Amino acid sequence: MDAVQKITSLCKRRGFVFQSSEIYGGWEAAYDFGPLGAEMLRNIRNLWWKEFVHKQPNIVGLDSAIISHPRVWEASGHVESFADAMVEDIKNNKRYRADHIIGEYFEKKNGEEFNADGMSLEELDILIAENNILSPDGNKLSKARKFNSLVEVSIGTLEDAKATAYLRGETCQPIFYNYALVRDSMRMKIPFGIAQIGKAFRNEIKVGPFFFRTREFEQMEMELYVHPSDAENQMAKLKSWAIDWLVSLGIPEDKLRLRDQDFKERAHYNKIATDVEYRFPFGWKEFQGLHYRSDWDLSRHAEFSGTNLDYTDPVTGEKYVPHVVEYSIGLNRLMLVLLFDAYVEEEERVVLKLHPDIAPYRYAVFPLLKNKPELVDKARLIYNTLVTKGYNVAWDDRGNIGKRYYSQDEIGTPYCITVDFQTLEDETVTIRDRDTASQRRLRIDELG
Ligand code: GAP
């Protein structure tokens, strides 16, 4: 089994992630997060919100509608430009992203990364023809053409009055069209930020591996409104802040790198785009973007809506359209990074060495024997106390203690607490550390 198969299998077996609609044969590129996956996502969301909203006096939150006025996506440029180049296997009509299929071909041939993202349709066709690049099934490929990633929805109650709208392709557009409402209602002064966590949707041509690329995913985004002359400085600050936060979650710095996109790769709205990449077993992959979007979004929304979105500096009186520096990270993709990073195989056990604040459970409580009511009652009391203190706590009274430890190691529970006969005498328990497997005795009132 390769690393992706191992993580996929653990996620299913232990209730982290399931293929969506499995009993109907599954639904491509959609995943449901099971009980432990839901806990992990919630922990990451909470940590992110605490860091990027609660701890920042100049950043506030937003929770917007997923379906907005269709003009939003015309103004943002997505209707016209949010597209990938696609090629089709001419025999079985399977579709592929042209840059991926070319990249994979050259990587195999030369053993080096090859980035064809952003090449023109002509350039892609020439590379495919000159190198006789075939589909994974060995068939000829069609000419490259653009494929828009926005997901359309038909909305309304009367058939003939239905409007075509779009599921949001990025969570930040509502942050832009709400810019003036937030600024005025919260009396925000530049530089200030608006953050949002929520679902985004893209009609991706190629999906996977596992839930790395899906058609429905969650983003955590923060848009910082700045004076144009301050943009470079804010971008530099954001880069080190972004890395520091990832390192605080336990991701080693040597498995992270920043990569500047060249102008061909950049999305239509970006002047500067820096990817944050993680070294997965399947190569360096982007999981976060730091972007300098200039005044693209606010100017376009001002133009398309006819609303003045200028900012007037309260001290100098200068009037200008604020520029935007963006922090954007995929919640699900970050979860995948954290799972890959935490997965360790040791001689007798598999351990998820997740940061305690991210692990689904903080503690597991075990009565040594389940047929001794005095042990079970005492363990229940400790369990309830920890839950009351706000921790998510697992309970296990099956089988031998060693097996219970291994079972908790595999889902990343940092601490296991065993209630034994000594507990009844001296109010102490055994606490066992997940990473070192070492055990010590602790007084019950020292827990939590
Ligand atoms: N607002 C800017 C923006 O959306 P992006 O680079 O297209 O920028 C930001 O997306 C992040 O969203 C990515 O770094 C990735 O983590 C996540 N993301 C994008 N497309 C995704 C997909 N199809 N599946 C899972 N996550 C995705």
Side-chain angles (χ1 to χ4, degrees):
M1 262 208 283
D2 69 16
V4 177
Q5 287 166 331
K6 284 177 184 171
I7 301 275
T8 308
S9 140
L10 184 150
C11 282
K12 180 175 179 186
R13 193 160 30 83
R14 301 306 308 269
F16 282 85
V17 186
F18 308 128
Q19 172 81 62
S20 169
S21 323
E22 201 196 59
I23 62 167
Y24 292 96
W27 184 239
E28 196 200 21
Y31 291 90
D32 297 334
F33 291 82
L36 299 196
E39 293 297 335
M40 199 171 155
L41 288 175
R42 187 167 294 275
N43 289 341
I44 302 170
R45 271 189 216 106
N46 290 346
L47 286 172
W48 190 85
W49 197 259
K50 203 186 271 178
E51 174 68 21
F52 291 91
V53 183
H54 288 175
K55 279 166 80 178
Q56 309 305 323
N58 65 334
I59 300 178
V60 289
L62 183 77
D63 194 340
S64 75
I66 285 177
I67 304 174
S68 51
H69 196 297
R71 288 281 282 166
V72 168
W73 301 98
E74 289 168 26
S76 70
H78 284 72
V79 171
E80 195 188 321
S81 309
F82 196 47
D84 289 316
M86 177 188 81
V87 284
E88 223 171 296
D89 178 315
I90 58 168
K91 266 205 178 142
N92 58 25
N93 302 110
K94 282 189 195 162
R95 292 169 164 190
Y96 303 95
R97 257 178 74 163
D99 61 323
H100 286 183
I101 218 154
I102 292 171
E104 279 156 22
Y105 170 84
F106 282 111
E107 271 161 42
K108 222 184 219 168
K109 191 173 162 197
N110 305 329
E112 280 173 19
E113 283 180 47
F114 185 92
N115 193 347
D117 191 9
M119 283 186 176
S120 70
L121 295 179
E122 262 182 357
E123 286 172 318
L124 295 166
D125 286 340
I126 290 171
L127 276 179
I128 289 173
E130 281 182 349
N131 295 283
N132 194 24
I133 300 174
L134 301 173
S135 79
D137 295 322
N139 302 319
K140 277 205 168 311
L141 292 165
S142 69
K143 285 217 176 306
R145 65 188 155 96
K146 287 281 182 193
F147 182 79
N148 193 289
S149 306
L150 278 181
V151 178
E152 282 185 11
V153 281
S154 185
I155 203 149
T157 46
L158 295 172
E159 197 54 46
D160 56 356
K162 274 189 179 160
T164 297
Y166 307 97
L167 298 182
R168 64 184 177 206
E170 51 177 1
T171 52
C172 58
Q173 286 307 323
I175 294 182
F176 300 133
Y177 70 68
N178 279 305
Y179 149 78
L181 291 172
V182 173
R183 179 198 63 195
D184 296 344
S185 58
M186 302 300 287
R187 295 197 289 277
M188 304 305 284
K189 288 191 183 61
I190 276 180
F192 74 90
I194 306 177
Q196 160 148 257
I197 299 178
K199 292 264 183 176
F201 302 82
R202 294 182 190 175
N203 210 354
E204 299 282 4
I205 301 161
K206 188 182 163 207
V207 291
F210 198 20
F211 61 94
F212 178 81
R213 182 173 285 101
T214 50
R215 301 205 170 97
E216 173 182 342
F217 53 96
E218 218 168 320
Q219 288 186 315
M220 306 195 286
E221 300 202 297
M222 193 274 290
E223 310 301 317
L224 205 55
Y225 297 100
V226 302
H227 187 279
S229 64
D230 189 29
E232 212 173 294
N233 160 48
Q234 293 289 354
M235 186 79 180
K237 276 200 206 159
L238 207 55
K239 280 184 197 172
S240 49
W241 188 13
I243 297 292
D244 286 351
W245 186 69
L246 294 169
V247 170
S248 80
L249 304 183
I251 305 173
E253 215 165 340
D254 63 356
K255 283 183 154 181
L256 295 170
R257 76 176 185 194
L258 293 171
R259 189 185 70 83
D260 288 333
Q261 291 185 5
D262 71 36
F263 79 101
K264 280 185 176 175
E265 290 174 76
R266 291 200 293 263
H268 60 276
Y269 47 76
N270 281 333
K271 262 209 157 126
I272 298 174
T274 303
D275 289 344
V276 183
E277 299 185 335
Y278 174 77
R279 184 153 45 84
F280 282 98
F282 46 92
W284 284 100
K285 298 284 170 208
E286 177 263 353
F287 70 108
Q288 163 161 29
L290 301 165
H291 309 137
Y292 172 40
R293 299 177 73 122
S294 70
D295 63 346
W296 165 265
D297 302 277
L298 288 191
S299 292
R300 294 273 294 194
H301 285 302
E303 181 193 334
F304 278 64
S305 67
T307 309
N308 183 348
L309 295 177
D310 285 354
Y311 177 79
T312 307
D313 188 290
V315 179
T316 64
E318 185 191 359
K319 249 188 197 339
Y320 60 93
V321 179
H323 281 211
V324 168
V325 171
E326 172 180 66
Y327 172 113
S328 177
I329 190 164
L331 169 62
N332 316 96
R333 210 175 272 183
L334 173 59
M335 173 175 167
L336 200 61
V337 166
L338 293 166
L339 284 171
F340 271 95
D341 205 63
Y343 183 91
V344 179
E345 281 176 7
E346 291 177 358
E347 225 166 86
E348 287 183 313
R349 60 178 192 153
V350 167
V351 197
L352 278 188
K353 294 191 173 176
L354 291 168
H355 188 293
D357 293 341
I358 287 171
Y361 296 110
R362 174 68 65 110
Y363 295 102
V365 175
F366 310 152
L368 182 65
L369 299 167
K370 79 168 172 190
N371 57 0
K372 296 283 174 203
E374 61 276 36
L375 294 182
V376 174
D377 291 348
K378 190 73 184 167
R380 268 290 165 212
L381 214 65
I382 294 172
Y383 174 94
N384 289 337
T385 309
L386 290 170
V387 169
T388 311
K389 283 187 178 172
Y391 297 112
N392 195 27
V393 186
W395 171 269
D396 194 356
D397 57 11
R398 299 155 307 157
N400 72 47
I401 290 287
K403 277 197 181 142
R404 292 187 228 172
Y405 284 151
Y406 288 161
S407 169
Q408 294 299 323
D409 289 341
E410 204 183 32
I411 58 171
T413 309
Y415 308 107
C416 293
I417 295 166
T418 305
V419 171
D420 54 21
F421 291 104
Q422 193 181 328
T423 311
L424 305 177
E425 285 165 18
D426 65 5
E427 289 286 305
T428 66
V429 290
T430 305
I431 183 155
R432 185 252 192 195
D433 181 89
R434 174 197 66 198
D435 296 348
T436 60
S438 64
Q439 298 178 24
R440 65 199 166 105
R441 286 205 82 88
L442 207 66
R443 282 207 329 269
I444 292 171
D445 59 13
E446 288 175 307
L447 291 171

